[in-house]
Amino acid sequence: MTKSSIGYGVVGCGMMGQEHIRNIALLPDAHVAAIFEPDPGMMAASLGLAPDARPAVSIAELLATEGVDCVLIASPNHRHLSQLEEVAALRPLPVLVEKPLFTSDDDETRIAALKARLPLVWVAMEYRYMPPVAAFVEQAGGVTGGIRMLTIREHRFPFLAKVGDWNRFNRNTGGTLVEKCCHFFDLMRLILKSDPVRVMASAGQAINHLDECYGGETPDILDHGYVLVDFASGARAMLELCMFGEGSRYQEELCAIGGSGKIECRVPGPGRFWPRHLGAAPVPELIVSPRSPSGPRLLEIPVDARLLEAGDHNGSTYFEHVRFVAAVRGQGNVEVTLQDGWWAVVMGLAAQRSAREGRAVDLASEFAMPD
């Protein structure tokens, strides 16, 4: 594609959709051409960010809008798969679809059909593109001499309020270990270069949302837990999640260890949540600790202030769009495929099942493995 500016059709413009719009505005060769957002307040806010975009009353109208070259789906989780199928049926444009790709065991077999019907689908896994995490991924194998243990910790704020409170219930999100943690399961596969074989989790709802009620229902989403994952390579990984830990200096911490050494990554949370009385927000860090010669080395990895202001994900949304637009133009490859998105969700579903049933889940025997 040789157009001077790629036009996005944006489906869903809540908090994450608006972050995408702010980052698209920073691209020199892309713009938002049309928006479909059923909520009037969110539509008004989105048009304020992209005043030249045309509002659409349906996905069909959005796809028919002149100048739409690709589609971004950033709607509630349980809408993603059906909206992908609608795009595939009406006008199979390149799509960037937010995680999670799907939310239920019943959905997993529908992914294979999409692979044949949509020529380009990129699953939005922003955490891959955080500059400190990207540096960690690039260096981990060499520093460790081959990773044997990988730990990912996230201590963060509770789920935010969303339109219609859709994110308060497992039936809409897939469960916390899908909704929130598919990012981390995707990182595990990316970092270890291997597929998981077994998942075991212990998790619960201890603090958050217990005093809330929606239509007579109390939210059922988990707010803390541990997940252990065995990989085909023999490596082991662990996730530690706490969603009432926003008092932390760093929100995400990654650690990989092998026979040659250890590498760590520390990433602060969204700058808008950092207490102003503490001064400047922390800078992301990478720490390399070889076994010989012994001694850790710390490297700060600052992120451009413009990118921090454009969203809550340490600049990653911008870098993701740079690569997606290159793929739309035929100048780059899809880096997060439907298969990657499938694995991330299945690992989350397995973790939800393990925590619920109190047992380890063997992936090959309980899920239909992809081709």
Side-chain angles (χ1 to χ4, degrees), residues 104 120 205 306 321 339 368:
S104 167
L120 191 162
Q205 183 182 15
R306 293 182 313 138
H321 279 286
Q339 183 165 311

Side-chain angles (χ1 to χ4, degrees), residues 115-356:
K115 289 173 68 174
R117 296 166 64 193
L118 282 170
L120 191 162
V121 181
W122 184 306
V123 182
M125 291 292 185
E126 285 83 17
Y127 284 50
R128 287 188 180 209
Y129 301 101
M130 292 181 177
V133 174
F136 178 95
V137 173
E138 181 180 4
Q139 298 182 39
V143 169
T144 62
I147 303 169
R148 308 312 301 170
M149 299 177 67
L150 172 66
T151 302
I152 299 177
R153 171 190 290 170
E154 182 173 63
H155 289 181
R156 59 159 281 163
F157 48 91
F159 282 118
L160 300 173
K162 298 291 181 74
V163 174
D165 306 301
W166 65 267
N167 65 336
R168 292 308 197 249
F169 297 98
N170 289 333
R171 61 178 177 268
N172 297 329
T173 68
T176 299
L177 299 178
V178 172
E179 204 296 321
K180 184 73 217 56
C181 300
C182 63
H183 275 305
F184 305 123
F185 298 133
D186 175 65
L187 283 178
M188 288 179 182
R189 286 185 65 247
L190 177 69
I191 294 166
L192 295 174
K193 299 180 175 62
S194 181
D195 291 331
V197 295
R198 188 177 301 102
V199 175
M200 184 168 63
S202 176
Q205 183 182 15
I207 305 293
N208 297 344
H209 315 301
L210 293 172
D211 58 350
E212 299 174 8
C213 185
Y214 305 93
E217 291 185 88
T218 299
D220 59 359
I221 47 176
L222 305 174
D223 62 11
H224 72 289
Y226 295 99
V227 183
L228 295 174
V229 186
D230 292 336
F231 282 80
S233 65
R236 292 174 173 83
M238 183 181 77
L239 169 68
E240 177 186 324
L241 175 73
C242 178
M243 298 195 65
F244 41 89
E246 64 267 36
S248 306
R249 181 170 180 80
Y250 294 100
Q251 181 167 290
E252 286 89 26
E253 298 178 73
L254 286 70
C255 176
I257 309 175
S260 298
K262 178 171 88 170
I263 184 170
E264 300 167 88
C265 174
R266 298 173 179 170
V267 184
R272 63 192 174 107
F273 295 149
W274 181 251
R276 296 304 172 200
H277 68 275
L278 296 179
V283 175
E285 296 178 345
L286 194 70
I287 305 169
V288 175
S289 304
R291 295 181 72 188
S292 180
S294 180
R297 292 182 288 107
L298 186 149
L299 175 67
E300 290 189 341
I301 304 182
V303 178
D304 189 313
R306 293 182 313 138
L307 304 186
L308 293 177
E309 291 171 4
D312 289 341
H313 297 85
N314 271 270
S316 60
T317 304
Y318 171 80
F319 295 115
E320 181 179 59
H321 279 286
V322 169
R323 289 165 171 78
F324 174 70
V325 168
V328 172
R329 291 184 178 278
Q331 299 168 352
N333 298 319
V334 174
E335 296 180 8
V336 193
T337 65
L338 281 170
Q339 183 165 311
D340 292 325
W342 183 92
W343 272 113
V345 171
V346 164
M347 292 171 73
L349 291 172
Q352 290 280 144
R353 185 179 300 177
S354 175
R356 184 171 61 249

